Amino acid sequence: MARIAVIGAGMGAMAAAARLAVAGHRVTVYERAATHGGGVGRLARDGFAFDTGPGLLHLPAVYRDLFVKTGKESLEKNVELVQVDPASGHLFADGTAVSLPNASRAGVIEALDAAVGAGAGERWSELVNRAREVWDATRRPLLEEPLRDGPAAREALGRDPYPAMRGRGLFRRSTPPTLASVGKRELKDPRLVALLESHALAYGLDPRRTPASATVLPYMEQTFGSWYVRGGMRGLADALHARCVARRVEFRFGAEVVGLIEKDGRTAGVELAGGEPAEADMVVAGVSPGRLAAIAPGAGEGPGSAVPPGRFTVFLALRGDRPEGVAHRTVVHSPDREAELEAVFGEGDPRAHRPTVTVLRPDDPATRPDGAHEAVTLTATVAPQGRADWRDGAAAAAFAERMTDAAAAAVPGLRERLLWREFRTPADTEAATGAEGGGVPAPVLAGAGGAFLRPGNATGVPGLYLAGGFAHPGGGLAHAGMSGAMVAGLIVDGAGWRGSQ
């Protein structure tokens, strides 16, 4: 039995802690904040409740496997997991509206044909079919196996497996395809292009620079569905924390790790703020690149070190009940996508544009005081703190106002129903989680020479491992859960562990 120190109580770190405890190790989690969950938080006020992090789960099999492997009770015994249907509604800049059913290829084709025009559904379906080749090529090396060192492994993942349609003419292979170029060539209609690019933007990815392999994001959602935890997604973090506690994982909150203890060239524990040492045979770090660099300089060097975009979230408490048949999630697309992309990723004013806004309206009594009220959450991808000064209260309030204006297209009578509004900026995320700039990491992707990978789970420091969204296989609830599985596999079975079975 080894003593293992886990830095941070985010989803990836807790996933590793639970698996390691079941394997017989003595695990202690050190978290600088007062609670668990990392970015999977909750805001409660006046009987309303809102998720401050992810609003939906894709690829729930990751957490089903985690709960099966760490105890006798399944995931569904701990949370009420429900499929969201329709999966999403979309309101495009020209006024076109479409509702896409959950995990139904035929239904999506029919809906797009009806809303966009004959043939639109088939063009979308053909692109998603090609994205399946990306899934088949990258599922194991990107989601189920630790990132292997060596030029051959990196080179393989640096190639984009998306089978882009061949263009005509002399310059048909002049540049590697990006998500934006694939959308323009294969989907043609600007509404379908906006639909495709919105999947990348939701993860903080610039479709103009993101490899075509990002088509795997809509493929995963359409194939495995969109899921919600009754009571709010925070319930998943609570269930994972409870599973850790049941497996005798010790949590120390308000305990900030400021350095590693090394002995004989390998990790021997952690140093807490104030100088308190905590001995350990191995350490798992589930922290952002900046915090990792301060704790263990050089340990997390590799691709994906730039600060990613953040999330601006608005919480709306509304009077009046939630109408029947309303979509859980509606995406209100920006009227000027190029201006939005420049504001988030380029040289545009990061606080002056009208963003793409995702409107979440869960049909969940636990989120509201009674049936005469409704809790609505708005999210938008924005530039991180630093490139924009989100601590400027007036500018942040003005941005929240623009988001509310956009959401009114999806929530008729919103202004008249509004009781109160709160918002969270990337600056707030930075303060709450410690992530530089309040950046939210994206899932790893193949292609672009490996630029969209993350540091591997095993580091160059013996005995130090990385979990969570800032390590392989990147951000998102499912990917964070898989990072925990990879770390546990490497520690329990050694460097020769070949991945989840």
Side-chain angles (χ1 to χ4, degrees):
M1 178 179 71
R3 299 166 301 173
I4 300 177
V6 177
I7 308 173
M11 298 299 284
M14 288 197 294
R19 289 177 180 270
L20 289 167
V22 166
H25 298 294
R26 193 172 73 196
V27 183
T28 302
V29 177
Y30 301 91
E31 169 57 55
R32 65 190 285 274
T35 188
H36 58 272
V40 186
R42 183 178 180 87
L43 168 66
R45 173 181 164 185
D46 300 339
F48 293 89
F50 307 86
D51 286 313
T52 60
L56 292 171
L57 172 65
H58 308 296
L59 208 61
V62 171
Y63 287 91
R64 290 193 176 111
D65 179 75
L66 170 60
F67 275 76
V68 166
K69 298 286 178 60
T70 59
K72 296 180 180 179
E73 291 187 344
S74 67
L75 174 63
E76 279 80 1
K77 287 285 187 180
N78 290 270
V79 298
E80 185 181 353
L81 194 63
V82 295
Q83 268 195 307
V84 173
D85 201 6
S88 61
H90 290 264
L91 298 178
F92 298 103
D94 69 347
T96 300
V98 63
S99 181
L100 301 179
N102 197 350
S104 170
R105 173 184 171 179
V108 169
I109 291 174
E110 181 179 353
L112 289 175
D113 278 350
V116 179
E122 195 58 40
R123 291 198 301 278
W124 175 264
S125 182
E126 288 172 355
L127 181 142
V128 173
N129 282 343
R130 284 187 284 276
R132 180 177 180 174
E133 296 190 35
V134 178
W135 172 256
D136 290 340
T138 62
R139 175 183 62 84
R140 188 150 187 85
L142 287 187
L143 277 180
E144 298 177 358
E145 296 180 353
L147 190 62
R148 299 295 171 188
D149 289 327
R154 295 275 178 167
E155 181 182 354
L157 290 174
R159 294 193 293 267
D160 191 336
Y162 182 78
M165 295 173 62
R166 296 181 68 88
R168 296 179 178 179
L170 181 61
F171 301 105
R172 64 187 182 186
R173 290 293 187 186
S174 58
T175 58
T178 63
L179 192 71
S181 67
V182 162
K184 184 177 180 180
R185 178 186 295 275
E186 300 180 20
L187 296 176
K188 306 183 188 312
D189 190 287
R191 292 163 293 184
L192 295 182
V193 173
L195 173 61
L196 175 64
E197 293 186 353
S198 69
H199 286 82
L201 185 62
Y203 284 103
L205 295 166
D206 183 349
R208 301 169 302 179
R209 300 177 178 89
T210 300
S213 65
T215 52
V216 77
L217 300 175
Y219 169 83
M220 289 171 58
E221 181 175 323
Q222 187 169 312
T223 302
F224 303 109
S226 299
W227 300 77
Y228 172 72
V229 173
R230 190 74 66 188
M233 296 302 297
R234 171 67 183 187
L236 183 62
D238 292 341
L240 181 50
H241 173 257
R243 176 56 56 90
C244 286
V245 171
R247 298 299 167 263
R248 301 185 184 279
V249 175
E250 180 185 354
F251 284 82
R252 291 187 58 182
F253 295 108
E256 182 177 5
V257 173
V258 295
L260 288 186
I261 299 172
E262 294 188 35
K263 183 178 180 180
D264 298 329
R266 65 171 291 113
T267 301
V270 297
E271 179 185 347
L272 303 180
E276 178 189 351
E279 294 183 353
D281 300 301
M282 284 168 279
V283 173
V284 177
V287 297
S288 65
R291 287 194 63 208
L292 181 63
I295 294 168
E301 292 181 350
S305 59
V307 176
R311 302 287 185 272
F312 196 114
T313 308
V314 181
F315 311 102
L316 304 176
L318 304 183
R319 61 172 63 89
D321 61 350
R322 178 184 185 276
E324 289 289 333
V326 167
H328 182 111
R329 172 182 53 168
T330 300
V331 180
V332 183
H333 292 261
S334 171
D336 190 340
R337 176 56 58 88
E338 192 62 32
E340 177 177 32
L341 296 179
E342 278 300 302
V344 178
F345 305 102
E347 301 300 324
D349 187 333
R351 302 180 306 188
H353 66 293
R354 209 288 266 154
T356 294
V357 175
T358 298
V359 182
L360 298 176
R361 305 177 70 182
D363 184 10
D364 186 353
T367 64
R368 53 187 184 261
D370 52 49
H373 295 85
E374 183 181 7
V376 176
T377 304
L378 317 179
T379 63
T381 297
V382 296
Q385 171 64 27
R387 200 172 92 68
D389 181 10
W390 294 112
R391 296 188 179 96
D392 181 338
F399 196 82
E401 188 73 8
R402 281 196 295 279
M403 288 179 62
T404 305
D405 284 341
V411 187
L414 186 155
R415 291 290 184 183
E416 293 73 22
R417 298 177 59 195
L418 185 61
L419 291 171
W420 52 262
R421 177 179 69 190
E422 289 193 24
F423 56 82
R424 297 287 185 274
T425 73
D428 298 315
T429 300
E430 181 179 55
T433 68
E436 295 76 42
V440 180
V444 296
L445 296 169
F452 289 81
L453 300 177
R454 290 277 174 187
N457 308 103
T459 74
V461 180
L464 175 64
Y465 299 85
L466 305 182
F470 289 101
H472 181 73
L477 282 172
H479 292 68
M482 286 306 303
S483 78
M486 293 177 195
V487 166
L490 289 168
I491 291 176
V492 173
D493 295 325
W497 182 71
R498 299 303 303 174
S500 300
Q501 301 297 318

